[in-house]
Amino acid sequence: MPILRSYYQDVYRSPVVRLDGYSGRHGLASSILAYLDFGGATGTAKDGLAETMLAFATERGALQPGMPVVEASSGSFGAALAVSCATTGHPCILVVPSNLPIARRQRLQDLGAKIVVCSSGGRRAMDRIAQETAERYHGYFTHYFANDDNPEYHRRVTGPQILKAAGDSIDAIVIGVGSGGTVTGVAEYIKAWNSMIRIVAVEPVECAAISGGFIGQHGIAGIGPGFVPENYNPYVVDTVLTVTTADAERASKEVLLCDGIPACTSGGATLAAAVQLMEMGKAKRPLCIFAGRRMYE
């Protein structure tokens, strides 16, 4: 194997795997495929995204050496951004809600982030505080829910890799929707090459903003933010499916025991949705994007 210049080079090489065990357990006529996008430091797809968004901003001069980077995030993107900022020499400032558990706040601080607490957990309020913080400290606000650098990463990396590895073997791609960057970027790239591949967006039953359903609490981390992200492009999505937290958890555990893949709950949601899709007769050879791994200690 070659010696890599950076670990991020390996992060970008996400394998496509056949889930024969899980597919057999559910009596499916053909195997579901999975794109494993969780090889980075935080165990999520956000590692490559954060590093690339900083690179894009640097290329166009919006991010200068040593400039602070600001984001309103207390989840996986915030953690990945903190790591990427540390490796590139940028201070990282994260705006988090006041009800964020102390343990999660401490984890972000351990990764090098400075924390700004927002009294409201609403997206607009947090984004406003992040924008004001960036202006105060002459920093760069990544704004990843509404920044086209997010889907652009998936147009350049995720979409091409899926098409190259499995383009002739699939008829649908199943993607959980969080910031909207993955589904938009992958779909726009894939549709440009093969418009017959169905793009399926997945959200929680308990928080179904995209499909116009109930907005509430759920347990599928990484998807279902409770609103439709600005990055989300509905015109390239063919089907929207909803999955309960319980079904997502069950699928996540099953794929670990059947195929040895530690998919996080959002990955389980895409699996459960893929089974729905096949049972509906809308796909025979779907591919799921696993955007995070479950950590076992």
Side-chain angles (χ1 to χ4, degrees):
M1 296 179 65
I3 296 175
L4 304 179
R5 177 185 58 81
S6 164
Y7 179 51
Y8 283 105
Q9 291 178 271
D10 191 65
V11 170
Y12 296 138
R13 296 198 297 243
S14 302
V16 173
V17 180
R18 288 170 57 94
L19 305 181
D20 290 338
Y22 180 87
S23 302
R25 181 185 181 97
H26 287 267
L28 303 177
S30 58
S31 287
I32 296 172
L33 300 182
Y35 177 82
L36 309 185
D37 193 5
F38 50 59
T42 67
T44 73
K46 302 300 193 301
D47 291 302
L49 173 63
E51 197 265 350
T52 303
M53 287 185 70
L54 295 186
F56 285 162
T58 300
E59 280 182 4
R60 62 175 178 267
L63 179 61
Q64 299 294 324
M67 181 183 290
V69 174
V70 184
E71 180 54 71
S73 175
S74 58
S76 56
F77 184 75
L81 189 64
V83 172
S84 188
C85 283
T87 60
T88 53
H90 293 281
C92 179
I93 304 173
L94 298 177
V95 177
V96 304
S98 58
N99 62 353
L100 183 71
I102 296 297
R104 284 180 62 185
R105 186 184 303 184
Q106 186 61 54
R107 177 172 178 255
L108 294 172
Q109 290 175 322
D110 289 344
L111 293 175
K114 293 180 174 63
I115 301 299
V116 173
V117 178
C118 178
S119 59
S120 170
R123 190 73 215 174
R124 289 184 179 178
M126 290 180 62
D127 282 347
R128 185 179 68 253
I129 296 298
Q131 182 64 56
E132 292 172 355
T133 301
E135 292 171 359
R136 182 180 307 119
Y137 293 103
H138 305 287
Y140 173 71
F141 178 24
T142 52
H143 205 192
Y144 86 115
F145 272 93
N147 185 342
D148 190 62
D149 286 350
N150 181 347
E152 181 63 16
Y153 165 76
H154 296 288
R155 295 183 197 108
R156 296 192 189 191
V157 178
T158 313
Q161 286 193 345
I162 289 173
L163 189 66
K164 182 177 180 180
D168 295 332
S169 306
I170 59 175
D171 58 4
I173 301 176
V174 188
I175 309 168
V177 180
S179 67
T182 306
V183 68
T184 294
V186 169
E188 288 177 354
Y189 180 85
I190 293 294
K191 290 291 189 181
W193 289 92
N194 186 346
S195 62
M196 300 304 294
I197 294 179
R198 181 180 294 272
I199 301 297
V200 182
V202 181
E203 61 180 349
V205 167
E206 304 92 335
C207 193
I210 294 172
S211 50
F214 180 74
I215 305 298
Q217 299 295 316
H218 65 92
I220 310 177
I223 67 173
F227 57 90
V228 180
E230 288 185 45
N231 280 330
Y232 179 73
N233 180 0
Y235 300 105
V236 290
V237 174
D238 300 291
T239 305
V240 179
L241 294 177
T242 59
V243 174
T244 66
T245 297
D247 285 344
E249 287 279 2
R250 186 180 305 111
S252 173
K253 293 175 182 177
E254 286 180 351
V255 76
L256 174 70
L257 300 177
C258 293
D259 296 282
I261 296 175
C264 68
T265 312
S266 68
T270 65
L271 266 180
V275 173
Q276 284 186 47
L277 195 69
M278 296 177 79
E279 290 176 345
M280 293 163 61
K282 292 187 175 182
K284 295 181 179 179
R285 305 178 307 280
L287 176 144
C288 298
I289 294 182
F290 288 1
R293 61 171 294 154
R294 185 185 292 270
M295 301 298 184
Y296 292 92
E297 298 180 356

CSV table of all heavy atoms in Angstrom, one decimal, residues 37-93:
chain,number,residue,atom,x,y,z
A,37,ASP,N,-19.3,5.6,4.4
A,37,ASP,CA,-18.7,7.0,4.4
A,37,ASP,C,-18.4,7.4,5.9
A,37,ASP,O,-19.0,8.3,6.4
A,37,ASP,CB,-19.6,8.0,3.7
A,37,ASP,CG,-18.9,9.3,3.4
A,37,ASP,OD1,-17.7,9.4,3.7
A,37,ASP,OD2,-19.5,10.2,3.0
A,38,PHE,N,-17.6,6.6,6.6
A,38,PHE,CA,-17.4,6.9,8.0
A,38,PHE,C,-16.0,6.6,8.5
A,38,PHE,O,-15.8,6.2,9.6
A,38,PHE,CB,-18.4,6.2,8.9
A,38,PHE,CG,-18.6,4.7,8.7
A,38,PHE,CD1,-17.5,3.9,8.8
A,38,PHE,CD2,-19.8,4.2,8.4
A,38,PHE,CE1,-17.7,2.5,8.7
A,38,PHE,CE2,-20.0,2.9,8.2
A,38,PHE,CZ,-18.9,2.0,8.3
A,39,GLY,N,-15.0,6.8,7.6
A,39,GLY,CA,-13.6,6.4,8.0
A,39,GLY,C,-12.8,7.4,8.7
A,39,GLY,O,-11.6,7.2,9.0
A,40,GLY,N,-13.3,8.6,9.0
A,40,GLY,CA,-12.5,9.7,9.5
A,40,GLY,C,-12.4,9.7,11.0
A,40,GLY,O,-12.9,8.7,11.7
A,41,ALA,N,-11.8,10.7,11.6
A,41,ALA,CA,-11.5,10.8,13.0
A,41,ALA,C,-12.7,10.8,13.9
A,41,ALA,O,-12.7,10.2,15.0
A,41,ALA,CB,-10.7,12.1,13.2
A,42,THR,N,-13.9,11.3,13.4
A,42,THR,CA,-15.1,11.4,14.3
A,42,THR,C,-16.0,10.2,13.9
A,42,THR,O,-17.1,10.1,14.5
A,42,THR,CB,-15.8,12.7,14.1
A,42,THR,OG1,-16.3,12.8,12.8
A,42,THR,CG2,-14.9,13.9,14.4
A,43,GLY,N,-15.7,9.4,12.9
A,43,GLY,CA,-16.5,8.3,12.6
A,43,GLY,C,-17.8,8.7,11.8
A,43,GLY,O,-18.7,7.9,11.8
A,44,THR,N,-17.7,9.8,11.1
A,44,THR,CA,-18.9,10.2,10.3
A,44,THR,C,-18.4,10.8,8.9
A,44,THR,O,-17.2,11.0,8.7
A,44,THR,CB,-19.7,11.4,11.0
A,44,THR,OG1,-18.9,12.6,10.9
A,44,THR,CG2,-20.0,11.0,12.5
A,45,ALA,N,-19.4,10.9,8.1
A,45,ALA,CA,-19.1,11.5,6.7
A,45,ALA,C,-18.7,13.0,6.8
A,45,ALA,O,-18.2,13.5,5.8
A,45,ALA,CB,-20.4,11.4,5.9
A,46,LYS,N,-18.9,13.6,8.0
A,46,LYS,CA,-18.6,15.0,8.1
A,46,LYS,C,-17.1,15.3,8.1
A,46,LYS,O,-16.7,16.5,7.9
A,46,LYS,CB,-19.2,15.6,9.4
A,46,LYS,CG,-20.7,15.4,9.5
A,46,LYS,CD,-21.4,16.0,8.4
A,46,LYS,CE,-22.9,16.2,8.6
A,46,LYS,NZ,-23.6,14.9,8.8
A,47,ASP,N,-16.2,14.3,8.3
A,47,ASP,CA,-14.8,14.6,8.4
A,47,ASP,C,-14.3,15.1,7.0
A,47,ASP,O,-13.6,16.1,7.0
A,47,ASP,CB,-14.0,13.3,8.8
A,47,ASP,CG,-14.3,12.9,10.3
A,47,ASP,OD1,-14.0,13.8,11.1
A,47,ASP,OD2,-14.8,11.8,10.5
A,48,GLY,N,-14.6,14.3,6.0
A,48,GLY,CA,-14.1,14.8,4.7
A,48,GLY,C,-14.8,16.1,4.2
A,48,GLY,O,-14.2,16.9,3.6
A,49,LEU,N,-16.1,16.2,4.6
A,49,LEU,CA,-16.9,17.4,4.3
A,49,LEU,C,-16.3,18.6,4.9
A,49,LEU,O,-16.1,19.7,4.2
A,49,LEU,CB,-18.3,17.2,4.7
A,49,LEU,CG,-19.2,18.5,4.6
A,49,LEU,CD1,-19.3,18.9,3.1
A,49,LEU,CD2,-20.6,18.2,5.2
A,50,ALA,N,-16.0,18.6,6.2
A,50,ALA,CA,-15.4,19.7,6.9
A,50,ALA,C,-14.1,20.2,6.3
A,50,ALA,O,-13.8,21.3,6.0
A,50,ALA,CB,-15.3,19.4,8.4
A,51,GLU,N,-13.2,19.2,6.1
A,51,GLU,CA,-11.9,19.5,5.5
A,51,GLU,C,-12.0,20.1,4.2
A,51,GLU,O,-11.3,21.1,3.8
A,51,GLU,CB,-11.0,18.2,5.5
A,51,GLU,CG,-9.6,18.4,5.3
A,51,GLU,CD,-9.1,18.3,3.9
A,51,GLU,OE1,-9.9,18.0,3.0
A,51,GLU,OE2,-7.9,18.7,3.6
A,52,THR,N,-12.9,19.6,3.3
A,52,THR,CA,-13.0,20.1,2.0
A,52,THR,C,-13.7,21.5,2.0
A,52,THR,O,-13.3,22.4,1.1
A,52,THR,CB,-13.8,19.1,1.1
A,52,THR,OG1,-13.2,17.9,1.1
A,52,THR,CG2,-13.9,19.6,-0.3
A,53,MET,N,-14.7,21.7,2.8
A,53,MET,CA,-15.3,23.1,2.9
A,53,MET,C,-14.3,24.1,3.3
A,53,MET,O,-14.3,25.2,2.7
A,53,MET,CB,-16.5,23.0,3.8
A,53,MET,CG,-17.7,22.3,3.3
A,53,MET,SD,-19.2,22.4,4.4
A,53,MET,CE,-19.6,24.1,4.2
A,54,LEU,N,-13.4,23.8,4.2
A,54,LEU,CA,-12.3,24.8,4.5
A,54,LEU,C,-11.4,25.0,3.3
A,54,LEU,O,-11.0,26.1,3.1
A,54,LEU,CB,-11.5,24.3,5.7
A,54,LEU,CG,-12.3,24.1,7.0
A,54,LEU,CD1,-11.3,23.8,8.2
A,54,LEU,CD2,-13.0,25.4,7.4
A,55,ALA,N,-11.1,23.9,2.6
A,55,ALA,CA,-10.2,24.0,1.4
A,55,ALA,C,-10.9,24.9,0.3
A,55,ALA,O,-10.2,25.7,-0.3
A,55,ALA,CB,-9.9,22.6,0.8
A,56,PHE,N,-12.2,24.7,0.1
A,56,PHE,CA,-12.9,25.5,-0.9
A,56,PHE,C,-12.9,27.0,-0.5
A,56,PHE,O,-12.6,27.9,-1.3
A,56,PHE,CB,-14.4,25.1,-1.0
A,56,PHE,CG,-14.6,23.8,-1.7
A,56,PHE,CD1,-15.8,23.1,-1.5
A,56,PHE,CD2,-13.7,23.3,-2.6
A,56,PHE,CE1,-16.1,21.9,-2.2
A,56,PHE,CE2,-13.9,22.1,-3.3
A,56,PHE,CZ,-15.1,21.4,-3.1
A,57,ALA,N,-13.1,27.3,0.8
A,57,ALA,CA,-13.1,28.7,1.3
A,57,ALA,C,-11.7,29.3,1.1
A,57,ALA,O,-11.6,30.5,0.8
A,57,ALA,CB,-13.6,28.7,2.7
A,58,THR,N,-10.7,28.5,1.4
A,58,THR,CA,-9.3,29.0,1.3
A,58,THR,C,-9.0,29.3,-0.2
A,58,THR,O,-8.4,30.3,-0.5
A,58,THR,CB,-8.3,27.9,1.8
A,58,THR,OG1,-8.7,27.7,3.2
A,58,THR,CG2,-6.9,28.4,1.7
A,59,GLU,N,-9.4,28.4,-1.1
A,59,GLU,CA,-9.1,28.6,-2.5
A,59,GLU,C,-9.7,29.9,-3.1
A,59,GLU,O,-9.0,30.6,-3.8
A,59,GLU,CB,-9.8,27.4,-3.3
A,59,GLU,CG,-8.9,26.1,-3.3
A,59,GLU,CD,-9.6,25.1,-4.2
A,59,GLU,OE1,-10.6,25.3,-4.8
A,59,GLU,OE2,-9.1,23.9,-4.2
A,60,ARG,N,-10.9,30.3,-2.6
A,60,ARG,CA,-11.5,31.5,-3.2
A,60,ARG,C,-11.1,32.7,-2.3
A,60,ARG,O,-11.7,33.8,-2.6
A,60,ARG,CB,-13.0,31.4,-3.3
A,60,ARG,CG,-13.7,31.1,-2.1
A,60,ARG,CD,-15.3,31.1,-2.4
A,60,ARG,NE,-16.0,30.8,-1.2
A,60,ARG,CZ,-16.4,29.6,-0.8
A,60,ARG,NH1,-16.1,28.5,-1.6
A,60,ARG,NH2,-17.1,29.4,0.3
A,61,GLY,N,-10.3,32.6,-1.3
A,61,GLY,CA,-9.8,33.7,-0.5
A,61,GLY,C,-10.8,34.1,0.7
A,61,GLY,O,-10.5,35.1,1.4
A,62,ALA,N,-11.9,33.4,0.9
A,62,ALA,CA,-12.8,33.7,1.9
A,62,ALA,C,-12.2,33.4,3.3
A,62,ALA,O,-12.6,34.0,4.3
A,62,ALA,CB,-14.1,33.0,1.7
A,63,LEU,N,-11.3,32.4,3.3
A,63,LEU,CA,-10.7,31.9,4.6
A,63,LEU,C,-9.2,32.2,4.5
A,63,LEU,O,-8.5,31.5,3.7
A,63,LEU,CB,-11.0,30.5,4.8
A,63,LEU,CG,-10.4,29.8,6.1
A,63,LEU,CD1,-10.9,30.5,7.3
A,63,LEU,CD2,-10.7,28.3,6.1
A,64,GLN,N,-8.7,33.0,5.3
A,64,GLN,CA,-7.3,33.4,5.3
A,64,GLN,C,-6.6,32.6,6.4
A,64,GLN,O,-7.2,32.1,7.4
A,64,GLN,CB,-7.1,34.9,5.6
A,64,GLN,CG,-7.7,35.8,4.5
A,64,GLN,CD,-7.0,35.6,3.1
A,64,GLN,OE1,-5.8,35.4,3.1
A,64,GLN,NE2,-7.8,35.7,2.1
A,65,PRO,N,-5.2,32.4,6.3
A,65,PRO,CA,-4.5,31.7,7.3
A,65,PRO,C,-4.7,32.2,8.7
A,65,PRO,O,-4.7,33.5,8.9
A,65,PRO,CB,-3.0,31.9,6.9
A,65,PRO,CG,-3.1,32.1,5.4
A,65,PRO,CD,-4.4,32.9,5.2
A,66,GLY,N,-5.0,31.3,9.7
A,66,GLY,CA,-5.2,31.7,11.1
A,66,GLY,C,-6.5,32.3,11.4
A,66,GLY,O,-6.8,32.7,12.5
A,67,MET,N,-7.4,32.5,10.4
A,67,MET,CA,-8.7,33.1,10.6
A,67,MET,C,-9.6,32.2,11.4
A,67,MET,O,-9.6,31.0,11.1
A,67,MET,CB,-9.3,33.5,9.3
A,67,MET,CG,-10.7,34.2,9.4
A,67,MET,SD,-11.5,34.5,7.8
A,67,MET,CE,-10.4,35.8,7.1
A,68,PRO,N,-10.4,32.7,12.4
A,68,PRO,CA,-11.3,31.8,13.1
A,68,PRO,C,-12.4,31.3,12.2
A,68,PRO,O,-12.8,31.9,11.2
A,68,PRO,CB,-11.9,32.7,14.2
A,68,PRO,CG,-10.9,33.8,14.3
A,68,PRO,CD,-10.3,34.0,12.9
A,69,VAL,N,-12.8,30.0,12.4
A,69,VAL,CA,-13.9,29.4,11.7
A,69,VAL,C,-15.1,29.2,12.7
A,69,VAL,O,-14.9,28.7,13.8
A,69,VAL,CB,-13.5,28.1,11.1
A,69,VAL,CG1,-14.7,27.4,10.5
A,69,VAL,CG2,-12.4,28.3,10.1
A,70,VAL,N,-16.3,29.7,12.3
A,70,VAL,CA,-17.4,29.7,13.1
A,70,VAL,C,-18.6,28.8,12.5
A,70,VAL,O,-18.8,28.9,11.3
A,70,VAL,CB,-18.0,31.1,13.4
A,70,VAL,CG1,-19.1,31.1,14.4
A,70,VAL,CG2,-16.8,32.0,13.9
A,71,GLU,N,-19.2,28.1,13.3
A,71,GLU,CA,-20.4,27.3,12.9
A,71,GLU,C,-21.4,27.1,14.0
A,71,GLU,O,-21.0,27.1,15.2
A,71,GLU,CB,-20.0,25.9,12.4
A,71,GLU,CG,-21.1,25.0,11.8
A,71,GLU,CD,-21.9,25.7,10.8
A,71,GLU,OE1,-21.5,25.9,9.6
A,71,GLU,OE2,-23.1,26.1,11.1
A,72,ALA,N,-22.7,27.0,13.7
A,72,ALA,CA,-23.7,26.7,14.7
A,72,ALA,C,-23.9,25.2,14.6
A,72,ALA,O,-24.7,24.8,13.8
A,72,ALA,CB,-25.0,27.5,14.4
A,73,SER,N,-23.2,24.5,15.5
A,73,SER,CA,-23.3,23.0,15.4
A,73,SER,C,-22.8,22.4,16.8
A,73,SER,O,-21.8,22.8,17.2
A,73,SER,CB,-22.6,22.4,14.3
A,73,SER,OG,-22.6,21.0,14.3
A,74,SER,N,-23.6,21.5,17.3
A,74,SER,CA,-23.2,20.8,18.5
A,74,SER,C,-23.1,19.3,18.2
A,74,SER,O,-22.9,18.5,19.1
A,74,SER,CB,-24.1,21.0,19.6
A,74,SER,OG,-25.5,20.7,19.3
A,75,GLY,N,-23.2,18.9,16.9
A,75,GLY,CA,-23.2,17.5,16.5
A,75,GLY,C,-22.0,17.1,15.8
A,75,GLY,O,-20.9,17.6,16.0
A,76,SER,N,-22.3,16.2,14.8
A,76,SER,CA,-21.1,15.6,14.1
A,76,SER,C,-20.4,16.5,13.2
A,76,SER,O,-19.1,16.4,13.2
A,76,SER,CB,-21.7,14.4,13.2
A,76,SER,OG,-22.7,14.8,12.3
A,77,PHE,N,-21.0,17.5,12.6
A,77,PHE,CA,-20.3,18.5,11.8
A,77,PHE,C,-19.4,19.4,12.7
A,77,PHE,O,-18.3,19.7,12.3
A,77,PHE,CB,-21.2,19.3,10.9
A,77,PHE,CG,-20.5,20.2,10.0
A,77,PHE,CD1,-19.8,19.7,8.9
A,77,PHE,CD2,-20.3,21.6,10.3
A,77,PHE,CE1,-19.1,20.6,8.0
A,77,PHE,CE2,-19.6,22.4,9.4
A,77,PHE,CZ,-19.0,21.9,8.3
A,78,GLY,N,-20.0,19.8,13.8
A,78,GLY,CA,-19.2,20.6,14.7
A,78,GLY,C,-17.9,19.9,15.2
A,78,GLY,O,-16.8,20.5,15.2
A,79,ALA,N,-18.0,18.6,15.5
A,79,ALA,CA,-16.9,17.8,15.9
A,79,ALA,C,-15.9,17.7,14.8
A,79,ALA,O,-14.7,17.8,15.0
A,79,ALA,CB,-17.3,16.4,16.4
A,80,ALA,N,-16.3,17.4,13.6
A,80,ALA,CA,-15.4,17.2,12.5
A,80,ALA,C,-14.8,18.5,12.1
A,80,ALA,O,-13.6,18.6,11.8
A,80,ALA,CB,-16.2,16.7,11.2
A,81,LEU,N,-15.5,19.6,12.2
A,81,LEU,CA,-14.9,20.9,11.9
A,81,LEU,C,-13.9,21.3,12.9
A,81,LEU,O,-12.8,21.9,12.6
A,81,LEU,CB,-16.1,22.0,11.9
A,81,LEU,CG,-15.7,23.4,11.5
A,81,LEU,CD1,-15.3,23.4,10.0
A,81,LEU,CD2,-16.8,24.4,11.7
A,82,ALA,N,-14.1,21.0,14.2
A,82,ALA,CA,-13.1,21.2,15.2
A,82,ALA,C,-11.8,20.5,14.9
A,82,ALA,O,-10.7,21.1,15.0
A,82,ALA,CB,-13.6,20.8,16.6
A,83,VAL,N,-11.9,19.2,14.5
A,83,VAL,CA,-10.7,18.5,14.2
A,83,VAL,C,-10.0,19.1,13.0
A,83,VAL,O,-8.8,19.2,12.9
A,83,VAL,CB,-11.0,17.0,13.9
A,83,VAL,CG1,-9.8,16.2,13.4
A,83,VAL,CG2,-11.5,16.3,15.2
A,84,SER,N,-10.8,19.4,11.9
A,84,SER,CA,-10.2,19.9,10.7
A,84,SER,C,-9.5,21.3,11.0
A,84,SER,O,-8.5,21.6,10.4
A,84,SER,CB,-11.3,20.1,9.6
A,84,SER,OG,-10.7,20.4,8.4
A,85,CYS,N,-10.2,22.1,11.8
A,85,CYS,CA,-9.6,23.4,12.1
A,85,CYS,C,-8.2,23.2,12.9
A,85,CYS,O,-7.3,23.9,12.6
A,85,CYS,CB,-10.5,24.2,13.0
A,85,CYS,SG,-11.9,25.0,12.1
A,86,ALA,N,-8.2,22.3,13.8
A,86,ALA,CA,-7.0,22.0,14.5
A,86,ALA,C,-5.8,21.6,13.6
A,86,ALA,O,-4.7,22.1,13.8
A,86,ALA,CB,-7.2,20.9,15.6
A,87,THR,N,-6.1,20.8,12.6
A,87,THR,CA,-5.1,20.3,11.7
A,87,THR,C,-4.7,21.4,10.7
A,87,THR,O,-3.6,21.2,10.1
A,87,THR,CB,-5.5,19.0,11.0
A,87,THR,OG1,-6.7,19.3,10.2
A,87,THR,CG2,-5.8,17.9,12.0
A,88,THR,N,-5.5,22.4,10.5
A,88,THR,CA,-5.2,23.4,9.5
A,88,THR,C,-4.8,24.7,10.1
A,88,THR,O,-4.5,25.7,9.4
A,88,THR,CB,-6.3,23.6,8.5
A,88,THR,OG1,-7.5,23.9,9.2
A,88,THR,CG2,-6.6,22.4,7.6
A,89,GLY,N,-4.8,24.8,11.4
A,89,GLY,CA,-4.3,26.0,12.1
A,89,GLY,C,-5.3,27.1,12.3
A,89,GLY,O,-5.0,28.3,12.4
A,90,HIS,N,-6.6,26.8,12.3
A,90,HIS,CA,-7.7,27.8,12.4
A,90,HIS,C,-8.4,27.6,13.8
A,90,HIS,O,-8.8,26.5,14.1
A,90,HIS,CB,-8.7,27.6,11.3
A,90,HIS,CG,-8.2,28.0,10.0
A,90,HIS,ND1,-8.1,29.3,9.5
A,90,HIS,CD2,-7.8,27.2,8.9
A,90,HIS,CE1,-7.6,29.3,8.3
A,90,HIS,NE2,-7.4,28.0,7.9
A,91,PRO,N,-8.5,28.7,14.6
A,91,PRO,CA,-9.4,28.6,15.8
A,91,PRO,C,-10.8,28.2,15.3
A,91,PRO,O,-11.3,28.7,14.3
A,91,PRO,CB,-9.3,30.0,16.3
A,91,PRO,CG,-8.1,30.6,15.7
A,91,PRO,CD,-8.0,30.0,14.4
A,92,CYS,N,-11.4,27.3,16.1
A,92,CYS,CA,-12.8,26.9,15.8
A,92,CYS,C,-13.7,27.4,16.9
A,92,CYS,O,-13.5,27.2,18.1
A,92,CYS,CB,-12.9,25.4,15.7
A,92,CYS,SG,-14.5,24.7,15.4
A,93,ILE,N,-14.8,28.1,16.5
A,93,ILE,CA,-15.8,28.6,17.5
A,93,ILE,C,-17.2,28.0,17.1
A,93,ILE,O,-17.6,28.1,16.0
A,93,ILE,CB,-15.9,30.1,17.4
A,93,ILE,CG1,-14.6,30.8,17.7
A,93,ILE,CG2,-17.0,30.6,18.4
A,93,ILE,CD1,-14.5,32.3,17.5
